[in-house]
Amino acid sequence: MNAYRLQSLSMALLVAAGITLTGCTNTQIADSDGMAAASMTEADMSSMTTLEIIDQVSKEINDSEENLAFYSPLHIENARKKLTEARKLTQLKEKTPETEKAAKSAAILAGKYYQAAVKNKTVVQNQLVKSLKQRDILLELNADEVRPRLYGNAMASMQKLIMEIEGGNLDKVVDKQPALQEQLAMVEAETMKTLYLDKARNKLKEAEDNGAEKFAYKTWEQASLAIARASNYTDRSYRDRAGVQTISEEAYVKAAAALNVTLEVQKISEEKAPVLEPTDGLV
């Protein structure tokens, strides 16, 4: 299930990570020029036809693990582009030895990008061990559904680091990973609040809509403080699932009390309100 969710996010995350924005995110693949040069050389020696190479590489990509595009987005994107380029060159009405070699070398290069993508996934898994574990915990909490925007932003940040790995910029990954881990921790805390504390927040909002600050200030204040304490505790101890649930339930009890007192006091106030005599018919 996680692999499917990663696959569905891949293209959206590429856009969110700014893959088309030069200067913001790495868009280069390490040793891309070397792979291109090697492909040109191999095109002269390969006994396979261009179409055979295209079919083979296409099958490798289609049969690969669903989440490979998450771990190696630039590699997979470039592999697909080269396959498209190779197909177009084979469909030319007027072919030359140069265009035939270009088609075969493009197909071979697509295969090299795919092979490098598989290797890059292993590097990512080794470099982002803690961050990937945090990602898995978020998926267990259904953070992608509970807090989709926050989760999506965090995954876009992770994708940027992955793209730095694809470019061989491991020093940048080391420098930037702590910030990613803080972002993932924040998403986990906010997801826990949504799962457990929002019930109390909503109940207090209902009390406020009914005039809690006017009719039941003390119980309203107690509920507000309880929710603030629960929120702060979750920020500090979001991994303490039982503790977060308990303190959030306590906050809910106080919020419900604020609503009940508000409604009761409001009812008593209305009953004590003077009844004015009708004025109809008075001269």
Side-chain angles (χ1 to χ4, degrees):
M1 182 178 180
N2 287 2
Y4 173 78
R5 288 150 80 177
L6 287 175
Q7 181 188 35
S8 65
L9 279 170
S10 294
M11 292 309 298
L13 290 176
L14 286 176
V15 176
I19 191 170
T20 59
L21 303 179
T22 57
C24 296
T25 303
N26 173 64
T27 60
Q28 302 300 314
I29 294 174
D31 196 33
S32 184
D33 291 342
M35 287 190 285
S39 298
M40 292 290 289
T41 301
E42 290 179 26
D44 290 328
M45 300 183 295
S46 176
S47 60
M48 295 177 65
T49 67
T50 300
L51 291 178
E52 287 174 339
I53 297 172
I54 290 174
D55 289 343
Q56 177 180 299
V57 177
S58 296
K59 186 177 187 305
E60 288 175 341
I61 293 176
N62 293 333
D63 292 347
S64 65
E65 295 180 15
E66 292 176 333
N67 57 12
L68 185 58
F70 177 84
Y71 289 102
S72 304
L74 293 176
H75 285 80
I76 294 301
E77 182 188 44
N78 277 275
R80 294 189 186 283
K81 283 182 178 179
K82 285 300 173 181
L83 284 175
T84 299
E85 179 184 329
R87 289 190 184 98
K88 287 181 178 179
L89 288 170
T90 60
Q91 293 168 359
L92 291 175
K93 291 183 178 179
E94 296 183 6
K95 299 184 180 66
T96 65
E98 288 76 15
T99 60
E100 290 181 351
K101 180 178 179 178
K104 180 174 285 191
S105 63
I108 292 172
L109 181 54
K112 289 186 179 298
Y113 279 136
Y114 167 74
Q115 293 163 5
V118 175
K119 293 179 181 178
N120 188 77
K121 177 181 176 180
T122 301
V123 178
V124 170
Q125 290 173 324
N126 290 333
Q127 290 290 324
L128 304 183
V129 174
K130 185 175 179 180
S131 296
L132 289 171
K133 286 182 178 178
Q134 288 178 279
R135 188 270 325 262
D136 291 343
I137 291 172
L138 290 178
L139 288 175
E140 290 173 4
L141 290 172
N142 293 317
D144 54 331
E145 298 173 4
V146 177
R147 297 304 301 262
R149 180 172 295 182
L150 288 179
Y151 177 82
N153 289 340
M155 290 302 100
S157 297
M158 183 179 288
Q159 199 84 138
K160 287 183 179 182
L161 287 193
I162 289 174
M163 291 159 70
E164 293 291 359
I165 292 173
E166 289 185 281
N169 306 317
L170 300 186
D171 53 336
K172 291 184 178 180
V173 176
V174 172
D175 291 340
K176 295 179 180 180
Q177 189 169 186
L180 172 61
Q181 291 168 356
E182 288 182 10
Q183 185 179 11
L184 292 166
M186 179 273 293
V187 177
E188 187 173 346
E190 292 303 317
T191 300
M192 291 294 292
K193 291 178 189 178
T194 300
L195 290 172
Y196 297 110
L197 189 56
D198 269 10
K199 185 179 178 182
R201 287 170 168 169
N202 293 336
K203 186 61 68 174
L204 184 62
K205 176 64 166 57
E206 186 180 350
E208 291 171 343
D209 290 343
N210 281 279
E213 293 174 80
K214 174 183 178 182
F215 295 109
Y217 180 82
K218 187 174 182 179
T219 51
W220 168 82
E221 184 180 40
Q222 290 174 345
S224 298
L225 290 174
I227 289 174
R229 282 195 299 271
S231 179
N232 291 335
Y233 181 83
T234 304
D235 285 334
R236 297 191 310 270
S237 307
Y238 51 87
R239 289 284 168 84
D240 179 11
R241 303 288 190 254
V244 169
Q245 187 171 359
T246 297
I247 199 170
S248 297
E249 289 173 349
E250 291 171 354
Y252 174 79
V253 170
K254 291 186 181 298
L259 175 61
N260 293 336
V261 172
T262 297
L263 296 177
E264 188 63 28
V265 173
Q266 189 179 57
K267 179 180 178 182
I268 294 172
S269 298
E270 291 173 352
E271 290 174 349
K272 288 184 177 181
V275 179
L276 298 178
E277 296 181 2
T279 58
D280 293 348
L282 291 180
V283 178

